[in-house]
Amino acid sequence: GQQLNQSPQSMFIQEGEDVSMNCTSSSIFNTWLWYKQDPGEGPVLLIALYKAGELTSNGRLTAQFGITRKDSFLNISASIPSDVGIYFCAGHPFAGGTSYGKLTFGQGTILTVHP
Amino acid sequence: EAGVAQSPRYKIIEKRQSVAFWCNPISGHATLYWYQQILGQGPKLLIQFQNNGVVDDSQLPKDRFSAERLKGVDSTLKIQPAKLEDSAVYLCASSLEAGTRAQYFGPGTRLLVL
């Protein structure tokens, strides 16, 4: 099946620093979604991207749908302690015509923010 | 607007026992999904419903897992009998429609099989 390569696997940063993580695939995706998951909770949708080249912000978070439709990145500016958690990229692979594949998740990026 | 509701939040059972999880999606969301998330991994789709019909159950281990959404609203996922490797978080998600729309997740049910 489709696989997403998410990097880095983990990040240890100081409060106030900016963070960048990305997701790549060998095939084309129709949608890119970024989720955050706190311990003991379900993933929470941060940003949804539906068009190649789309750049969307949500507060201190910015994400882009790559022009090639094979990648996406998420940036977090001026990190704070509550940014700690696991960040997942996810996407719907292109399946031809108006078809779509099932939502596929990356392996996650574990973010630790030191005060 | 209320989010996706799931219960129970935690369950501990012995292998070969049965267990059931319940999910109520966001009001008006026609599409409901059940995912399995093993520790350290991203969620993996088990089954997708559109209203009360199954759209995709290709990754559901049908010898022991079953799911239903009889009235097209809430849904139940059952495991019978459970195995040790079923220990995971079971997440329910819903979306406004099928396709590439964003999915919204519930808090999950944490299952431990001993």
Side-chain angles (χ1 to χ4, degrees):
Chain A
Q2 302 289 343
Q3 287 194 335
L4 292 179
N5 297 311
Q6 187 172 347
S7 65
Q9 286 188 326
S10 61
M11 302 183 73
F12 297 85
I13 61 170
Q14 291 292 129
E15 182 177 359
E17 290 184 355
D18 296 343
V19 172
S20 184
M21 58 191 80
N22 67 80
C23 222
T24 60
S25 171
S26 59
S27 55
I28 291 171
F29 275 62
N30 282 335
T31 309
W32 286 99
L33 306 171
W34 284 93
Y35 289 90
K36 182 189 178 209
Q37 188 171 27
D38 291 329
E41 299 296 332
V44 173
L45 182 67
L46 299 174
I47 293 178
L49 303 162
Y50 297 105
K51 295 181 181 179
E54 182 179 355
L55 182 71
T56 297
S57 293
N58 178 8
R60 294 179 295 106
L61 278 61
T62 302
Q64 185 161 29
F65 192 141
I67 291 290
T68 65
R69 297 173 65 187
K70 294 182 179 181
D71 63 337
S72 177
F73 72 74
L74 174 72
N75 288 341
I76 305 173
S77 63
S79 59
I80 59 178
S82 61
D83 290 333
V84 165
I86 304 176
Y87 291 79
F88 288 99
C89 62
H92 287 99
F94 175 69
T98 57
S99 298
Y100 61 95
K102 59 175 62 75
L103 190 62
T104 302
F105 281 80
Q107 308 96 314
T109 295
I110 302 171
L111 179 63
T112 303
V113 180
H114 294 287
Chain B
E1 181 183 79
V4 177
Q6 289 188 248
S7 67
R9 292 294 307 272
Y10 306 91
K11 191 73 177 179
I12 301 174
I13 61 173
E14 295 187 347
K15 60 183 179 183
R16 291 188 289 274
Q17 286 187 325
S18 302
V19 64
F21 313 127
W22 174 83
C23 171
N24 194 32
I26 293 173
S27 177
H29 279 197
T31 311
L32 184 149
Y33 314 80
W34 283 102
Y35 286 85
Q36 181 191 59
Q37 185 178 25
I38 293 172
L39 188 65
Q41 300 180 17
K44 184 189 82 171
L45 181 68
L46 292 175
I47 188 167
Q48 176 184 342
F49 291 94
Q50 178 69 18
N51 296 310
N52 61 352
V54 175
V55 173
D56 184 350
D57 64 356
S58 58
Q59 298 188 102
L60 187 73
K62 299 181 187 63
D63 57 333
R64 297 183 301 105
F65 286 63
S66 64
E68 59 184 16
R69 194 186 184 198
L70 294 177
K71 297 182 179 178
V73 180
D74 57 349
S75 175
T76 303
L77 176 70
K78 296 179 181 178
I79 307 175
Q80 181 180 13
K83 293 185 175 181
L84 296 178
E85 59 261 35
D86 297 332
S87 294
V89 177
Y90 291 86
L91 295 162
C92 179
S94 70
S95 63
L96 196 56
E97 59 192 34
T100 58
R101 301 301 297 176
Q103 296 179 19
Y104 297 87
F105 285 82
T109 296
R110 276 138 193 85
L111 174 67
L112 178 60
V113 182
L114 301 175

